[in-house]
Amino acid sequence: RARTAMPSWVIDRYGSNEVLRFTRDMMFPIIHFPNEVIIKVHAASLNPIDLSMRSGYGATALNMKRDPLKLKTGETEFPLTLGRDVSGVVMECGLGVSYFKPGDEVWAAIPPWKQGTLSEFVVASGNEVSFKPKCLSHTEAAALPYVGLTAWSALSQVGGLNQSNCSGKRILILGASGGVGTFAVQLMKAWDAHVTAVCSHDASTLVKKLGADDVIDYKSGNLEEKLKTLPLFDFILDNVGGSTEKWALDLLKKWSGATYVTLVTPFLINMDRLGVADGMLQTGVTVGSKTVKHLLKGVHYRWAFFMPSGPSLDEIAELVDSGKIQPVIDEVFSFSEVPKAFLKLEGGHARGKTVINVISRQ
């Protein structure tokens, strides 16, 4: 008998933690396009975007992406499954998929406009999927795809850094102890850069262990003044945003191609607040004016976003299997404890990732 329903954690409206609901009747995913695969989820993990999406942040933009032609009149995005990371086993492949077959162990980060991974099964495009690193369990592997691809997008695709041009470069990472930060520190060390990491004092041992050359506690005295005593930087990755943007660009070497990349952008907020067209316009004006303002001062200002990518995950898997990058896991929860995992993430001060074992034996 064909399966029609599966266990899943869903939300039926936006709000705080009480909107999370466990159901055994979530519709089983269907392959709609020849390049899709269905993955049996062994483990998933939570990211800050899951908290944002639970609260309804970015709903305008995501709904436009889900249904660009407004074909599904009267339908809403609910019930919505959260969770972006998956490590699991391929169960079924579309006719156009030649690279994977049922039974393959894979990992992926599913983009936010698709149904998420806090579910027994999830559907993904073949080009978003990659073979899981052989040296990791599913629980360990689930900690890496979303943060890994976010850092990869910021450092490599937007920032132009790669294995051959990083040697000796001075890199500053603001917010180094979360999921993206711990990955970025390891990637930059794998590529032979000099890394200065900013985090709280109780995370400094972890960040040093990951290879950071200098670790600075943002709570001990004036962070800006402390960083100004150090030599200037070639590249800054900002996971924190807010007031840091006002002074961080002054820490870059001028007129040398030095770049500041922030992962904190107003794009989705603008679209929620102003609607699609005005939101995009406002965002374009903001990034345009900031880029020009900083170019005149001799530095590059960029925004970066998560981008799903199987080929980038292939490269990340190689680094993992060669021992250069390891997952940093804060806590592991069972599938029945998803609301507890959300509360843990909401508490902040993460030391790496919050992982959920969807299948209890890993």
Side-chain angles (χ1 to χ4, degrees):
R1 188 173 71 84
R3 291 278 303 268
T4 55
M6 62 176 178
S8 191
W9 281 94
V10 298
I11 61 173
D12 303 301
R13 59 192 167 88
Y14 297 119
S16 52
N17 224 35
E18 74 279 356
V19 300
L20 290 164
R21 169 174 74 89
F22 180 73
T23 175
R24 294 194 175 279
D25 301 321
M26 187 61 177
M27 210 174 91
F28 199 83
I30 299 165
I31 287 178
H32 286 288
F33 299 101
N35 72 331
E36 288 182 330
V37 298
I38 293 176
I39 300 168
K40 183 170 175 61
V41 181
H42 281 241
S45 76
L46 294 184
N47 296 283
I49 187 167
D50 293 306
L51 288 176
S52 306
M53 284 178 68
R54 188 199 65 193
S55 315
Y57 166 81
T60 310
L62 294 174
N63 284 338
M64 187 182 91
K65 184 75 179 163
R66 287 179 187 119
D67 185 15
L69 302 177
K70 299 267 189 292
L71 298 176
K72 301 175 184 165
T73 48
E75 274 196 36
T76 71
E77 63 269 39
F78 301 116
L80 188 63
T81 307
L82 302 174
R84 310 277 44 107
D85 292 295
V86 55
S87 182
V89 174
V90 174
M91 198 193 83
E92 197 184 325
C93 297
L95 296 172
V97 176
S98 55
Y99 198 59
F100 302 105
K101 62 185 187 310
D104 285 342
E105 296 203 326
V106 294
W107 64 343
I110 311 291
W113 51 89
K114 294 186 181 178
Q115 285 290 24
T117 58
L118 295 176
S119 217
E120 191 183 7
F121 294 93
V122 70
V123 71
S125 302
N127 57 359
E128 294 162 0
V129 180
S130 159
F131 290 107
K132 170 181 88 65
K134 293 180 183 60
C135 68
L136 298 184
S137 69
H138 287 296
T139 308
E140 294 167 328
L144 283 172
Y146 190 86
V147 294
L149 288 171
T150 303
W152 194 270
S153 152
L155 297 164
S156 178
Q157 270 127 339
V158 175
L161 299 175
N162 58 51
Q163 199 169 351
S164 57
N165 68 8
C166 271
S167 187
K169 277 202 170 141
R170 289 182 52 78
I171 313 286
L172 173 64
I173 297 172
L174 299 165
S177 66
V180 174
T182 51
F183 185 94
V185 169
Q186 295 181 83
L187 181 62
M188 290 295 89
K189 289 314 294 175
W191 288 350
D192 204 24
H194 179 284
V195 174
T196 302
V198 174
C199 59
S200 67
H201 176 67
D202 55 336
S204 58
T205 313
L206 163 69
V207 174
K208 275 200 183 93
K209 204 173 87 188
L210 296 175
D213 301 280
D214 297 323
V215 180
I216 292 174
D217 172 9
Y218 69 86
K219 288 179 180 161
S220 69
N222 186 324
L223 176 62
E224 184 185 346
E225 295 307 318
K226 259 190 179 163
L227 288 168
K228 279 185 176 157
T229 63
L230 301 174
L232 292 170
F233 294 96
D234 299 289
F235 190 95
I236 297 174
L237 175 64
D238 188 353
N239 296 299
V240 181
S243 62
T244 51
E245 206 176 277
K246 295 188 176 67
W247 49 263
L249 285 108
D250 296 334
L251 305 170
L252 288 169
K253 295 175 183 168
K254 306 282 182 284
W255 308 107
S256 67
T259 304
Y260 165 92
V261 175
T262 177
L263 290 164
V264 185
T265 69
F267 179 61
L268 296 175
I269 296 179
N270 283 344
M271 283 179 81
D272 285 342
R273 202 167 52 95
L274 303 168
V276 174
D278 288 349
M280 287 174 91
L281 184 69
Q282 178 63 54
T283 305
V285 168
T286 307
V287 72
S289 60
K290 285 185 177 184
T291 304
V292 170
K293 181 179 109 180
H294 292 299
L295 261 182
L296 296 173
K297 296 180 185 172
V299 295
H300 296 286
Y301 175 97
R302 300 271 187 277
W303 284 351
F305 300 90
F306 157 78
M307 290 189 248
S309 165
S312 298
L313 279 177
D314 290 343
E315 294 191 59
I316 292 169
E318 273 178 45
L319 288 162
V320 172
D321 278 330
S322 66
K324 292 185 171 148
I325 286 181
Q326 53 186 319
V328 180
I329 295 175
D330 194 357
E331 200 170 338
V332 180
F333 292 86
S334 70
F335 195 44
S336 60
E337 298 176 310
V338 162
K340 219 163 119 184
F342 268 87
L343 288 176
K344 163 88 178 80
L345 186 64
E346 227 164 348
H349 305 297
R351 305 287 164 261
K353 291 298 298 290
T354 301
V355 177
I356 288 149
N357 278 339
V358 177
I359 291 178
S360 51
R361 297 177 308 285
Q362 291 294 324

